[in-house]
């Protein structure tokens, strides 16, 4: 039984590592064809909600505790915001740059622990922060720019949006873990989809109703890409829930960061993005820093 759990968890982590940058590829392709982030997000949640209602027994979605509902609702709100920020960043930025920035999630988690739990970072944790900062500088700097380090790169709209997205996802992961503990990975995934759809659809109806017809036409015309996106997001979230249920969140998050390397390669393969070798080096440094923080920090 133990070997099965270990193998299932390992498989889930591997799927998560591949599915995340693949989903980013499809999101960027759709935004390049004038699809808006909130409509992409709503369509994704809507499709996954239909899948859940088709395959998940309704009996497993009832008799849930107040603790589950509180954590799941907070998680869903943050997840919708994070997805919209992420797709908005993909619309205007390079995948090979925005993917590695996700390693800053480990830094965010460390500071949340410091502020809310009084957890003092270890030497390994501080070394991890240094590595992430250095790695991000390598990833973000263009060869034709001055070599002096500057935090001005974080004024770029795509980078700011990506940082907002990772802030949301870093925090919602805590509430997702609590919701999984209070129910099951399948139940938490189902409500992640259903609540996400309700929240994002409400956003559309309140702020973007006039654009629904045009956006639906764009998404229908690109239905194959949409289907690949829906499947990638579904696999990513299911594998995340299984990984969180089967191992410590810190270890899972450390391994998730290796998807940054795939993001750089996919940026080159699908969008012809440049300066790939320095970005691979920088992403590797950031992955090492994230691992130090979440495993040893």
């Amino acid at each position: 039984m133990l070997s099965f759990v270990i193998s299932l968890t390992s498989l889930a982590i591997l799927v998560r590592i591949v599915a995340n940058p693949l989903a980013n590829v499809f999101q960027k392709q759709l935004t390049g064809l004038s699809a808006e982030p909130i409509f992409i997000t709503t369509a994704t949640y809507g499709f996954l909600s239909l899948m859940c209602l088709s395959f998940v027994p309704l009996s497993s979605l009832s008799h849930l505790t107040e603790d589950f509902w509180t954590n799941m609702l907070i998680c869903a709100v943050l997840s919708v915001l994070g997805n919209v920020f992420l797709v908005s960043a993909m619309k205007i930025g390079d995948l090979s740059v925005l993917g590695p920035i996700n390693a800053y999630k480990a830094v965010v988690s460390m500071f949340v622990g410091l502020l809310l739990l009084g957890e003092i970072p270890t030497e390994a944790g501080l070394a991890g922060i240094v590595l992430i900062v250095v790695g991000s500088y390598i990833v973000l700097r263009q060869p034709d720019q001055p070599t002096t380090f500057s935090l001005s790169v974080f004024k770029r709209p795509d980078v700011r949006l990506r940082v907002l997205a990772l802030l949301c996802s870093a925090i919602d992961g805590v509430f997702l873990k609590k919701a999984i503990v209070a129910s099951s990975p399948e139940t938490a995934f189902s409500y992640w989809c259903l609540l996400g759809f309700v929240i994002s659809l409400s956003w559309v109806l309140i702020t973007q109703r006039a654009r629904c017809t045009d956006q639906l036409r764009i998404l229908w015309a690109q239905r194959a890409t949409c289907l690949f996106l829906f499947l990638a997001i579904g696999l990513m979230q299911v594998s995340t829930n299984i990984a969180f249920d089967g191992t410590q969140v810190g270890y899972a998050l450390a391994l998730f960061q290796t998807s940054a390397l795939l993001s750089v390669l996919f940026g080159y393969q699908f969008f012809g993005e440049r300066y790939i070798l320095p970005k691979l080096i920088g992403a590797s440094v950031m992955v090492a820093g994230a691992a130090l923080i979440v495993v040893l920090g």
Side-chain angles (χ1 to χ4, degrees), residues 130-147:
V130 172
L131 286 176
I132 289 176
V133 172
V134 172
S136 66
Y137 171 64
I138 298 172
V139 169
L140 291 169
R141 190 182 70 83
Q142 303 294 339
D144 55 349
Q145 292 178 340
T147 57

Side-chain angles (χ1 to χ4, degrees), residues 54-293:
S54 300
F55 293 102
V56 178
L58 294 178
S59 58
S60 68
L61 303 181
S62 58
H63 308 296
L64 297 168
T65 65
E66 181 179 347
D67 184 54
F68 169 83
W69 285 112
T70 300
N71 288 300
M72 198 67 244
L73 184 59
I74 295 173
C75 172
V77 171
L78 290 172
S79 179
V80 170
L81 288 173
N83 274 289
V84 173
F85 288 142
L86 173 61
V87 181
S88 298
M90 291 296 165
K91 182 177 182 179
I92 60 177
D94 289 345
L95 176 60
S96 57
V97 167
L98 300 177
I101 290 178
N102 194 52
Y104 270 94
K105 185 184 295 185
V107 179
V108 173
S109 299
M110 175 179 286
F111 280 105
V112 169
L114 175 63
L115 295 175
L116 300 183
L117 304 176
E119 297 176 344
I120 305 300
T122 64
E123 292 181 357
L126 294 175
I129 291 178
V130 172
L131 286 176
I132 289 176
V133 172
V134 172
S136 66
Y137 171 64
I138 298 172
V139 169
L140 291 169
R141 190 182 70 83
Q142 303 294 339
D144 55 349
Q145 292 178 340
T147 57
T148 55
F149 180 78
S150 173
L151 294 178
S152 62
V153 294
F154 290 97
K155 296 180 180 179
R156 288 169 40 176
D158 58 330
V159 174
R160 288 205 304 267
L161 286 167
R162 187 64 185 90
V163 170
L164 286 173
L166 76 86
L167 283 171
C168 290
S169 62
I171 299 172
D172 83 46
V174 175
F175 294 99
L176 175 62
K177 175 67 175 183
K178 291 181 178 180
I180 292 172
V181 171
S183 57
S184 69
E186 296 82 5
T187 300
F189 173 71
S190 299
Y191 278 109
W192 180 85
C193 300
L194 293 166
L195 292 175
F197 178 60
V198 170
I199 294 168
S200 56
L201 181 61
S202 299
W203 186 343
V204 166
L205 294 178
I206 293 172
T207 66
Q208 302 286 333
R209 185 182 303 176
R211 307 189 64 185
C212 284
T213 302
D214 290 339
Q215 286 295 306
L216 287 173
R217 186 180 297 114
I218 292 171
L219 293 176
W220 178 250
Q222 302 299 323
R223 53 190 176 276
T225 302
C226 287
L227 180 59
F228 290 138
L229 170 62
F230 301 157
L231 294 176
I233 292 291
L235 285 172
M236 181 185 74
Q237 194 61 37
V238 167
S239 60
T240 298
N241 287 19
I242 294 174
F244 281 0
D245 186 55
T247 188
Q248 295 182 24
V249 174
Y251 290 107
L253 288 176
L255 292 169
F256 290 170
Q257 304 310 317
T258 57
S259 65
L261 301 174
L262 286 181
S263 293
V264 175
L265 294 174
F266 287 170
Y268 170 75
Q269 178 66 35
F270 291 100
F271 305 106
E273 295 170 3
R274 300 184 299 164
Y275 312 126
I276 295 303
L277 182 57
K279 290 176 181 177
L280 278 174
I281 295 172
S284 299
V285 173
M286 296 180 77
V287 168
L292 276 177
I293 291 175

